[in-house]
Amino acid sequence: MMLRIKRVPTVVSNYQKDEGEDAARRGGGCGRNCLQKCCIPGAKLPLYTFKRAEEIPGDKCVLEHDDNQAPVAFLDSLLLGQWEDRMQRGLFRYDVTACETKVIPGRCGFMAQLNEGRHLKKRPTEFRVDKVLQPFDGNKFNFTKVGQEEVLFQFDASEDGEVQFFPDAPVDADSSPSVVAINVSPIEYGHVLLIPRILECLPQRIDRESFLLALYMAIEAGNPYFRLGYNSLGAFATINHLHFQAYYLAVPFPIEKAPTRKVTTLGDGVKISELFDYPVRGLVFEGGNTLQDLSNAVSDACIFLQDNNIPHNVLIADCGKRIFLLPQCYAEKQALGEVSSELLDTQVNPAVWEISGHMVLKRKKDYEEASEENAWRLLAEVSLSEERFEEVKALIFEACSYTLSEKEDEHLTQGAGDDKPPLEGTGSINKGRNCNMVSGTQECLVLQ
Amino acid sequence: MEPPQLGLIEQSFNSRYSNWAREALDELPDNFTITDPCISGHPIVFASRGFLKMSGYSRDQVVGRNGRMFQGPNTCRRSVMEIREAIREERGVEISLLNYRKDGTPFWMLFRMAPVFGKDEGRVIHFVAVQVPILRRRQRRRNGEGLCGEILSNSCRREVCSSSSVELAGVSAADSDCRVQAMEGSVWQHVDNYVFPKDCKPLDGFQLISFLQFALVLFTSLEIEEKCEASDTEKQLAATAISNVLSVLTHYSESTGRLVCEKRFGPSLVSSSLHISLGRIKQSFVLVDPHLPDIPIVYASDAFLRMTGYARNEVLGQNCRFLTGVDTDPSALHQIKQSIQAQQACSVRILHYRKDKSSFWNLLHISPVRNATGKIAYFVGVQIEEGSVDRHGLSPEMRQLSVVGSIKVAVRSSSMSYSIH
């Protein structure tokens, strides 16, 4: 049985049209600056290259700024400046700073915003919610169709290990660039989309390389109030073309303030905790001997969830130091008619930002009556049940540990010139500190 | 990182409390630091003898640095976040925190911080932070299960071969003083055989699954709280220490006439949290309030003061026209006025004058800035001296826009919370 819900899709680009309109326009050149084969040759966009951090997280303290008095990092400046530029050029559908917003009184500090312009007064579209993995469909809207003016800059790793900025770099299709584009229906100031390897047209699913890119962006911005988020299909992703979202809000998110209980530390130093006293059940990933260890632990957990058809959201917070993973089931409940009409009427689609505690409301009534109880009640519907969460959690840990052994196999078979992401600290796997749990290895079985 | 602006740091302390206050503070037995949130990097401006002894650093190594230098891999990020938020909201906080000494050894301490307000300024000028080491470590654990964790984790350490013990200690520093409890004739010995077969033969699939299930059940119920509760005595010590330091500071501020107090006093031109956020922005800019008569400046960045040669008290509350002079083009002024009335952004090239009467071409960008109500709260004016170069290759326009963006975020966010005015 296919599960579907109807909702108004968020318009993230000025070139995103109804399905019908889009299909009708196929054939013939597009006549404007998009990111497809017709317009890419000769295109130029700013390029920001970041330095890959090989050092352990401890040393990264030097690079990050975790208090308000550290000077603004360059990527931060670049992003804000470019965004303001697009504001002044009128590319956004509305001025988000003209939307009233507040912190709801209470212990959690949920945030509410009254945004009447975000969702078009158009008919809702059908979304399939029971398949987290769906193949990319070139006929539907994807980010290669956006106008180049909506792209702020290319974002990739530096070749020579130095942070560099090129105001006018050619877009080299062969290098598979990743880009940062604006979201023309912003939730907050600076709302952008990070689209890894945009020309490869990857569907909305996590892979190790892309997640690492997102993590690098959080680190480079060096601003704890600049957070990245990810919604899987079935967890309110709008577009099936791999993307992360990000924006600025200089207040703590309720999810960041929620208490956590440590559950385990993986062999590679990644510490996994779980949230408690928060309406949505989820895991928090921190630490790791290297950045890649942290990134891979989260990616592997996501890959497991998507392979097992469990919709989920991910929040990258605290300059990349804390990552929240939240499996959810709201869409499924909605499709099965299990959500109260009262909640459905608010038309809140609980994606990563809502789950983190930032609610965007369409109706004045909902905004004025917003309370901690209401917010909690809505989010509690999103969460997996305790029983189900325990199941999923146990399976995630299994997946994370098993993947350690896969990594080892990769290391043995990987040759030079392979374009897979290089394995960091390749010596670390065999140090005996983090042993595998799968038979066939020579090490002792150890759980830390 | 080089300690920035040591002169400013000395000033921060001396101009407010006078040099004699240092002696008085040195007589206190407590561990504490005093920091200045208005100086770039929020550096430590004073560290007590007790603090230096506790941390193992010398005064030179600490003054001018930010408090994060004492954090390390096992410092709880959420606790750091709580402290950061308290700073942003200019209020006190008390929390247990894991810090690291100079020699790399970690220790738990009760961190208690209190803001010090300038009486005339009505905003925070320093933070006092007291650190009380938590002597007897207390971990919150469930009965019995804690023991398992100790056994397994200590057994693990015994069995693991090549890794240096220092690395392991680093990774699980907080566990370093756990002791293994012997348990006889129990299931744990059985576990021991499973986990650590002497010949290290790999386990077969069946053993693996059952061990996995066992271990997962064990670990998911362990719920070791990696926090350290301070005792009532330690909390009392912290409270007394804060009180001592604040008394000294209040007393000595009377001698300089620049009074401080523990509570916020009097109006400030912009809210304190906004003031702190704006301090992060290093470029030259001013905020003006279009709702007040004659549209006065309510905030001026340090860079603006440097560019124009004025002191802060000379510009706050004044309309920007003091920057204009004989050769300033009236039509540029007119354009600015019109944009403000139309509530729109504009860029003008205008001739401005410094305090010493020298003139410069100012690439001025003006933009409305809204707060959390959605309505315009200020206009921002960002100045760039024509001919100045940015090391990243950003055009002047782009540099200005990034300042505007930062300010929009700061103003919107700082006015969201009902508890902040």
Side-chain angles (χ1 to χ4, degrees):
Chain A
M1 173 187 69
M2 210 188 293
L3 289 180
R4 278 184 274 237
I5 59 168
K6 275 197 163 164
R7 61 182 177 97
V8 178
T10 311
V11 173
V12 299
S13 160
N14 292 317
Y15 298 88
Q16 183 183 340
K17 302 279 190 279
D18 280 343
E19 304 298 85
E21 287 178 42
D22 222 25
R25 262 178 346 116
R26 282 178 57 68
C30 69
R32 52 166 173 82
N33 287 341
C34 69
L35 293 171
Q36 300 190 311
K37 292 195 197 53
C38 42
C39 304
I40 281 262
K44 284 196 178 170
L45 290 169
L47 166 65
Y48 180 99
T49 61
F50 59 87
K51 182 175 160 175
R52 255 192 270 257
E54 312 294 357
E55 63 271 19
I56 60 173
D59 288 353
K60 290 207 72 61
C61 285
V62 179
L63 298 176
E64 115 273 331
H65 313 285
D66 64 358
D67 70 14
N68 288 346
Q69 288 305 308
V72 174
F74 179 60
L75 179 65
D76 209 37
S77 287
L78 177 68
L79 215 145
L80 288 167
Q82 293 278 351
W83 211 87
E84 177 64 20
D85 171 70
R86 302 309 189 273
M87 267 275 272
Q88 295 194 7
R89 278 158 60 174
L91 294 186
F92 294 97
R93 291 178 52 243
Y94 51 83
D95 179 356
V96 67
T97 66
C99 298
E100 213 182 316
T101 182
K102 65 184 178 185
V103 172
I104 298 170
R107 161 177 86 87
C108 298
F110 290 110
M111 289 96 64
Q113 182 190 111
L114 175 57
N115 190 329
E116 288 152 320
R118 181 152 208 253
H119 285 117
L120 296 169
K121 295 179 183 60
K122 289 180 103 175
R123 55 176 178 74
T125 329
E126 239 181 26
F127 281 82
R128 184 163 182 189
V129 299
D130 58 339
K131 265 178 69 76
V132 175
L133 294 176
Q134 295 175 32
F136 182 85
D137 181 353
N139 289 333
K140 295 210 167 117
F141 173 77
N142 66 74
F143 296 113
T144 61
K145 300 185 181 181
V146 309
Q148 285 174 22
E149 72 279 8
E150 292 178 344
V151 179
L152 300 185
F153 50 89
Q154 304 173 68
F155 182 72
D156 281 303
S158 153
E159 306 279 298
D160 57 11
E162 284 308 312
V163 170
Q164 284 189 297
F165 175 66
F166 306 91
D168 232 347
V171 179
D172 177 12
D174 293 330
S175 67
S176 192
S178 304
V179 302
V180 175
I182 55 172
N183 181 334
V184 307
S185 304
I187 291 186
E188 262 307 327
Y189 196 90
H191 196 167
V192 293
L193 308 163
L194 170 67
I195 305 150
R197 296 173 281 149
I198 183 173
L199 303 176
E200 292 182 37
C201 290
L202 306 166
Q204 184 75 344
R205 65 198 302 186
I206 297 279
D207 64 83
R208 280 184 167 192
E209 196 181 323
S210 304
F211 193 82
L212 185 58
L213 186 73
L215 206 50
Y216 269 120
M217 186 166 196
I219 293 167
E220 280 299 293
N223 185 336
Y225 301 118
F226 179 74
R227 305 159 178 97
L228 275 91
Y230 171 84
N231 301 317
S232 78
L233 295 174
F236 301 100
T238 306
I239 315 275
N240 187 14
H241 182 179
L242 180 59
H243 65 284
F244 295 82
Q245 302 180 42
Y247 61 79
Y248 289 88
L249 190 55
V251 290
F253 276 18
I255 200 175
E256 292 171 326
K257 300 199 290 192
T260 58
R261 261 186 210 120
K262 179 172 162 185
V263 183
T264 189
T265 303
L266 298 181
D268 52 12
V270 175
K271 184 175 107 169
I272 307 182
S273 314
E274 75 176 284
L275 294 168
F276 76 93
D277 197 19
Y278 193 71
V280 185
R281 292 176 184 87
L283 297 175
V284 190
F285 292 71
E286 300 171 271
N289 298 328
T290 68
L291 184 67
Q292 284 84 347
D293 287 328
L294 177 61
S295 182
N296 290 343
V298 185
S299 308
D300 293 346
C302 292
I303 290 167
F304 167 79
L305 291 176
Q306 64 202 18
D307 286 345
N308 286 275
N309 219 19
I310 301 171
H312 53 281
N313 309 90
V314 184
L315 176 75
I316 300 176
D318 198 3
C319 304
K321 282 208 162 62
R322 296 180 83 206
I323 305 168
F324 298 82
L325 173 60
L326 306 134
Q328 70 147 291
C329 62
Y330 189 86
E332 184 186 316
K333 281 187 182 167
Q334 199 177 337
L336 294 171
E338 290 170 10
V339 181
S340 77
S341 57
E342 195 193 326
L343 284 179
L344 287 178
D345 285 346
T346 64
Q347 291 188 67
V348 171
N349 294 318
V352 63
W353 309 118
E354 288 78 5
I355 294 178
S356 302
H358 188 194
M359 314 285 181
V360 176
L361 301 164
K362 295 184 182 66
R363 302 187 302 187
K364 201 165 170 69
K365 164 174 125 69
D366 295 323
Y367 179 77
E368 269 154 17
E369 293 169 13
S371 69
E372 184 158 289
E373 294 77 55
N374 290 348
W376 190 288
R377 208 173 336 127
L378 174 74
L379 292 182
E381 285 300 309
V382 180
S383 178
L384 293 190
S385 69
E386 187 167 347
E387 209 176 55
R388 179 73 178 129
F389 182 71
E390 291 302 312
E391 268 174 39
V392 171
K393 195 173 71 173
L395 293 168
I396 287 177
F397 292 152
E398 218 176 284
C400 286
S401 315
Y402 277 123
T403 321
L404 265 180
S405 75
E406 275 171 40
K407 193 160 80 167
E408 200 180 44
D409 290 341
E410 262 178 42
H411 166 57
L412 293 173
T413 58
Q414 194 180 47
D418 209 311
D419 66 352
K420 281 199 200 148
L423 288 175
E424 75 305 335
T426 47
S428 69
I429 294 176
N430 296 317
K431 272 199 177 124
R433 181 162 30 119
N434 45 345
C435 305
N436 296 301
M437 291 168 62
V438 174
S439 56
T441 66
Q442 293 304 307
E443 287 110 0
C444 308
L445 185 67
V446 168
L447 262 183
Q448 200 169 338
Chain B
M1 206 181 346
E2 287 299 305
Q5 307 141 304
L6 278 171
L8 263 179
I9 288 164
E10 284 254 333
Q11 259 294 93
S12 163
F13 190 90
N14 294 354
S15 68
R16 183 67 63 167
Y17 312 114
S18 87
N19 221 347
W20 290 304
R22 289 180 199 273
E23 282 180 31
L25 290 175
D26 270 339
E27 277 170 33
L28 295 173
D30 314 291
N31 311 330
F32 62 92
T33 52
I34 301 175
T35 60
D36 187 338
C38 299
I39 298 181
S40 160
H42 194 169
I44 293 170
V45 300
F46 183 90
S48 76
R49 285 180 302 115
F51 178 86
L52 296 174
K53 186 157 174 231
M54 175 186 76
S55 63
Y57 288 93
S58 70
R59 193 154 265 165
D60 293 334
Q61 293 171 327
V62 163
V63 170
R65 304 282 305 273
N66 179 281
R68 81 174 80 90
M69 68 180 277
F70 307 107
Q71 296 163 21
N74 278 337
T75 304
C76 174
R77 297 302 306 169
R78 253 191 63 240
S79 303
V80 171
M81 192 188 83
E82 281 188 52
I83 295 171
R84 181 174 69 223
E85 286 312 308
I87 291 172
R88 196 180 64 88
E89 293 175 15
E90 299 192 343
R91 54 171 170 80
V93 67
E94 181 177 77
I95 193 167
S96 311
L97 195 68
L98 188 75
N99 262 11
Y100 290 74
R101 297 186 192 89
K102 183 173 177 182
D103 62 9
T105 56
F107 64 100
W108 279 98
M109 51 92 170
L110 178 66
F111 179 88
R112 180 166 171 152
M113 185 181 76
V116 178
F117 294 93
K119 215 159 184 183
D120 296 326
E121 297 90 332
R123 57 176 174 83
V124 162
I125 46 159
H126 288 126
F127 281 97
V128 175
V130 158
Q131 300 84 7
V132 177
I134 298 177
L135 293 176
R136 260 179 26 100
R137 272 202 60 246
R138 236 171 269 159
Q139 267 189 329
R140 274 186 271 148
R141 297 173 175 198
R142 301 235 182 112
N143 285 337
E145 286 158 343
L147 250 26
C148 305
E150 291 182 52
I151 293 174
L152 278 171
S153 58
N154 280 285
S155 304
C156 289
R157 264 183 246 121
R158 277 206 310 273
E159 293 299 321
V160 168
C161 12
S162 53
S163 264
S164 72
S165 54
V166 171
E167 279 182 69
L168 277 174
V171 167
S172 50
D175 289 313
S176 59
D177 54 356
C178 294
R179 272 161 302 158
V180 177
Q181 308 274 322
M183 287 185 93
E184 292 157 332
S186 73
V187 64
W188 306 124
Q189 283 188 328
H190 188 55
V191 165
D192 219 54
N193 288 334
Y194 258 137
V195 178
F196 317 106
K198 294 286 178 215
D199 52 1
C200 278
K201 255 199 311 221
L203 299 178
D204 69 28
F206 179 74
Q207 287 172 313
L208 170 68
I209 298 294
S210 48
F211 180 79
L212 174 57
Q213 286 172 336
F214 168 83
L216 279 173
V217 165
L218 184 66
F219 275 94
T220 52
S221 63
L222 267 181
E223 294 179 318
I224 293 180
E225 185 77 66
E226 285 250 318
K227 251 223 179 263
C228 214
E229 284 281 303
S231 67
D232 285 338
T233 318
E234 284 152 354
K235 289 183 183 172
Q236 190 54 49
L237 278 173
T240 314
I242 282 268
S243 182
N244 290 344
V245 178
L246 289 176
S247 298
V248 169
L249 293 181
T250 317
H251 174 75
Y252 279 88
S253 74
E254 285 163 20
S255 73
T256 61
R258 303 184 63 199
L259 297 165
V260 301
C261 52
E262 294 170 48
K263 297 260 182 282
R264 194 188 308 276
F265 218 83
S268 53
L269 293 181
V270 297
S271 83
S272 324
S273 72
L274 177 57
H275 192 101
I276 288 191
S277 307
L278 295 176
R280 260 186 101 209
I281 303 169
K282 298 304 145 194
Q283 287 84 356
S284 168
F285 69 94
V286 294
L287 279 191
V288 302
D289 190 337
H291 306 108
L292 295 176
D294 208 24
I295 310 185
I297 293 176
V298 294
Y299 182 94
S301 71
D302 290 343
F304 173 82
L305 301 177
R306 280 196 297 274
M307 183 190 281
T308 58
Y310 288 97
R312 186 159 272 117
N313 60 4
E314 290 174 315
V315 311
L316 288 182
Q318 304 299 319
N319 178 283
C320 290
R321 70 173 69 83
F322 66 84
L323 292 168
T324 61
V326 286
D327 289 330
T328 304
D329 186 354
S331 65
L333 285 174
H334 185 69
Q335 197 184 340
I336 293 171
K337 194 164 173 199
Q338 279 207 305
S339 297
I340 292 184
Q341 273 174 355
Q343 300 189 337
Q344 285 173 351
C346 79
S347 287
V348 294
R349 181 176 172 263
I350 188 170
L351 192 68
H352 270 163
Y353 293 77
R354 299 190 187 85
K355 183 173 180 182
D356 67 1
K357 308 282 192 271
S358 62
S359 66
F360 63 99
W361 280 105
N362 188 353
L363 301 173
L364 177 65
H365 180 87
I366 291 173
S367 180
V369 178
R370 295 168 187 271
N371 65 14
T373 63
K375 303 191 176 60
I376 293 179
Y378 308 106
F379 276 82
V380 60
V382 186
Q383 302 81 18
I384 289 195
E385 210 170 320
E386 192 173 63
S388 64
V389 180
D390 174 70
R391 65 189 174 104
H392 291 293
L394 282 181
S395 66
E397 294 76 32
M398 203 45 67
R399 279 185 268 157
Q400 286 172 317
L401 292 177
S402 72
V403 174
V404 172
S406 301
I407 291 171
K408 286 187 173 181
V409 173
V411 170
R412 183 168 166 83
S413 306
S414 73
S415 54
M416 267 177 82
S417 179
Y418 64 97
S419 65
I420 296 181
H421 38 86

